[in-house]
Amino acid sequence: MEMITVQQAEDIILSQTQDFGRETIPYTNALGRVLAEDLSADRDLPPFDRPTVDGIAICYDGYEKGNRAFTIKAIQSAGESSLSVDSETECIEIMTGAALDSSVDTVIRYEDILIDNGIATINIAIKKGQNIHLKGRDKKEGEVLVKAHQVITPAITGIASSIGKTTISVKKLPKVVVISTGDEMVSAESVPSPFQLRRSNGITIQSVLKKYGIQADAIHLNDDYDEIRQKVSQCMKEYDVLLMSGGVSMGKFDYLPKVCEDIGVEKLFHKIKQRPGKPFWFGKTQDQKPVFAFPGNPVSVFMCLHRYFIPWLEKSLAIIDNTPQFAVLQNDIDFPYPLQYFAQVKLNVNHLGQLIAESVNTNGSGDFSHLADTNAFIELPLEQNSFRKGEVYKIWSYNF
Ligand SMILES: Nc1nc2c(c(=O)[nH]1)N[C@H]1C(S)=C(S)[C@@H](COP(=O)(O)OP(=O)(O)OC[C@H]3O[C@@H](n4cnc5c(N)ncnc54)[C@H](O)[C@@H]3O)O[C@H]1N2
Ligand code: MOO
Ligand SMILES: [Mg+2]
């Protein structure tokens, strides 16, 4: 099969999205999950007229008739039932957030009055209705406060709490397994021999998934056909999605494509006109589970994960707010190959408020040393070989 383009690969992957359904969870665990229902106001917001300052509440008519001295009838704190005045010459000392009675309609700050011997004297000009947050002013009972299909943020958990929504319907998450491969890759705890490396792809993938609340399992396999075949077959039964790294290129011990095909995973593509990540292999099991087999180089894994898997996940979870991002390139890049190039860039905002991207030089997809001081891949079109400062291209952010 001919190598396909990035766009074709994206189309194939996004045609394989799945709906994992929904579940109800405590709102305290909902951060980062995808809201599957609208959250509506259970009563007017605010639910009663309330002062926005500490001071006195009066009936404005009295002030308009020329009265400036008001007898303090009572003191009302927040949470108490509202207290009324009996005449236009009385006032209630009232605290921020208390429920105003219908006999008063204007609130004056302590800073703008003098209190002496139980009488409050107003010494500034005031306006009718000032310093009051009116009932229903923000939202009416039943109005939608938060629309479904968005990632639950700290602000949304606060709103849920305020409306007594202690359990929330969220999109169910897929069960994901991360399978890394490579005889030369030892665990982070080990001391590598001169010919070995500590592995990093598994934990990197698991970490990216945590942003969505997915706790993926991770296993590491040797480059051994039988071992890979046995483990991948087992994982296909136990998980909804397989994310694999390594073993997909031309090497004598790159077994993943063969294993997948031998156990009935249908190949949907192998190899994309892109760098990094060219030998990316993608398929689906007989029961339609997607299998992402990323090339082993750490930067290839990172790019393919953000460029293909995350959009697949966001579409599967029906997240609506995933508008593409663009940035202005800050330096010239020449790339003479017929591949779509994804350069690592540092993002910043310039004095015009534009997102700008400065690319860093790296030593290919095995060089993961710049991933921590960059924020995104900038996607440079296949049709061009030179890219100039000031041009605008799509970016794929990996800020967490
Ligand atoms: N003859 C050719 N050789 C290669 C080609 C090609 O087109 N023709 N493509 C190259 C490209 S591009 C890539 S990318 C790699 C992809 O390799 P594999 O997917 O087969 O992965 P491995 O061979 O297993 O490993 C590649 C590289 O990545 C390191 N690695 C693997 N796993 C991990 C891990 N868990 N953590 C960190 N690093 C890992 C591994 O040590 C290798 O250095 O193939 C090229 N070859
Ligand atoms: O495409 Mo490979 O991913 O250059 O390293
Ligand atoms: Mg290989």
Side-chain angles (χ1 to χ4, degrees):
M1 187 172 33
E2 252 288 285
M3 265 203 277
I4 62 170
T5 64
V6 167
Q7 187 58 54
Q8 287 168 325
E10 177 185 318
D11 292 345
I12 293 170
I13 288 171
L14 293 185
S15 73
Q16 298 300 318
T17 53
Q18 308 235 332
D19 184 354
F20 299 100
R22 50 181 69 189
E23 62 184 334
T24 300
I25 61 167
Y27 78 112
T28 45
N29 294 344
L31 190 66
R33 298 294 297 271
V34 180
L35 191 60
E37 61 176 334
D38 290 343
L39 301 185
S40 304
D42 63 328
R43 48 185 190 152
D44 284 353
L45 284 185
F48 44 80
D49 295 344
R50 55 178 186 181
T52 57
V53 295
D54 305 307
I56 59 166
I58 64 164
C59 172
Y60 186 79
D61 286 352
Y63 176 87
E64 201 174 38
K65 286 174 192 159
N67 185 32
R68 296 293 179 269
F70 296 81
T71 306
I72 297 169
K73 186 189 169 197
I75 300 178
Q76 187 189 332
S77 63
E80 275 188 283
S81 55
S82 32
L83 299 174
S84 60
V85 293
D86 297 322
S87 76
E88 289 174 352
T89 58
E90 282 182 354
C91 68
I92 303 290
E93 254 189 275
I94 196 159
M95 306 308 135
T96 305
L100 273 187
D101 185 74
S102 59
S103 61
V104 288
D105 58 10
T106 301
V107 175
I108 305 110
R109 307 187 299 172
Y110 277 125
E111 293 88 323
D112 300 331
I113 58 175
L114 271 177
I115 296 182
D116 187 31
N117 213 8
I119 310 280
T121 308
I122 300 174
N123 47 28
I124 57 145
I126 63 167
K127 282 195 190 127
K128 184 173 183 176
Q130 69 175 31
N131 297 329
I132 299 172
H133 190 186
L134 290 174
K135 176 177 193 291
R137 192 66 186 258
D138 306 345
K139 298 280 176 188
K140 297 279 183 241
E141 180 181 335
E143 252 188 273
V144 174
L145 298 173
V146 185
K147 281 210 170 76
H149 307 303
Q150 51 184 310
V151 176
I152 296 175
T153 58
I156 295 175
T157 59
I159 290 174
S161 179
S162 74
I163 59 170
K165 193 83 178 112
T166 54
T167 57
I168 302 187
S169 175
V170 295
K171 297 293 290 187
K172 247 191 193 159
L173 298 171
K175 268 189 85 183
V176 180
V177 63
V178 179
I179 305 172
S180 58
T181 58
D183 288 339
E184 76 284 27
M185 310 309 303
V186 299
S187 76
E189 293 75 24
S190 312
V191 178
S193 77
F195 321 105
Q196 294 176 323
L197 295 153
R198 292 193 194 88
R199 55 185 177 253
S200 60
N201 288 341
I203 185 72
T204 306
I205 297 173
Q206 283 180 303
S207 302
V208 171
L209 297 190
K210 280 195 179 149
K211 185 173 169 186
Y212 295 85
I214 296 177
Q215 301 285 346
D217 291 332
I219 56 174
H220 185 80
L221 305 177
N222 291 318
D223 294 316
D224 176 292
Y225 177 89
D226 293 326
E227 182 182 343
I228 295 174
R229 180 178 177 135
Q230 193 258 322
K231 282 287 179 1
V232 173
S233 306
Q234 192 187 329
C235 287
M236 267 167 46
K237 295 187 198 107
E238 292 173 15
Y239 294 91
D240 301 316
V241 183
L242 276 66
L243 298 184
M244 309 201 278
S245 92
V248 298
S249 190
M250 310 277 290
K252 282 270 147 48
F253 311 100
D254 288 339
Y255 291 125
L256 281 185
K258 175 146 178 46
V259 165
C260 285
E261 285 167 53
D262 289 351
I263 58 177
V265 184
E266 182 191 343
K267 176 175 89 174
L268 297 178
F269 65 74
H270 187 192
K271 298 187 180 156
I272 308 174
K273 288 180 195 163
Q274 62 178 17
R275 181 173 294 168
K278 189 180 78 174
F280 177 19
W281 189 100
F282 179 72
K284 65 174 173 185
T285 66
Q286 276 149 8
D287 43 2
Q288 311 300 315
K289 295 175 178 178
V291 176
F292 295 78
F294 302 129
N297 276 314
V299 181
S300 307
V301 169
F302 211 56
M303 191 284 276
C304 291
L305 192 67
H306 288 88
R307 179 65 183 83
Y308 300 105
F309 175 73
I310 296 299
W312 175 89
L313 180 66
E314 294 194 340
K315 189 171 175 211
S316 293
L317 296 177
I319 299 175
I320 40 174
D321 184 23
N322 49 7
T323 41
Q325 280 187 298
F326 295 86
V328 186
L329 193 61
Q330 289 308 288
N331 49 287
D332 296 345
I333 297 178
D334 290 301
F335 185 76
Y337 310 101
L339 300 169
Q340 191 148 330
Y341 182 44
F342 290 81
Q344 290 171 60
V345 292
K346 278 184 204 190
L347 297 177
N348 258 307
V349 176
N350 70 11
H351 68 286
L352 296 171
Q354 295 166 321
L355 194 59
I356 57 174
E358 189 175 350
S359 79
V360 297
N361 290 323
T362 75
N363 300 305
S365 59
D367 172 9
F368 54 83
S369 69
H370 299 283
L371 289 176
D373 55 18
T374 52
N375 323 91
F377 293 104
I378 194 161
E379 181 172 338
L380 302 171
L382 180 63
E383 302 73 31
Q384 285 166 243
N385 296 121
S386 66
F387 308 91
R388 293 288 156 256
K389 181 181 163 120
E391 293 172 355
V392 175
Y393 298 105
K394 205 185 254 193
I395 54 156
W396 299 88
S397 162
Y398 38 85
N399 285 336
F400 192 64

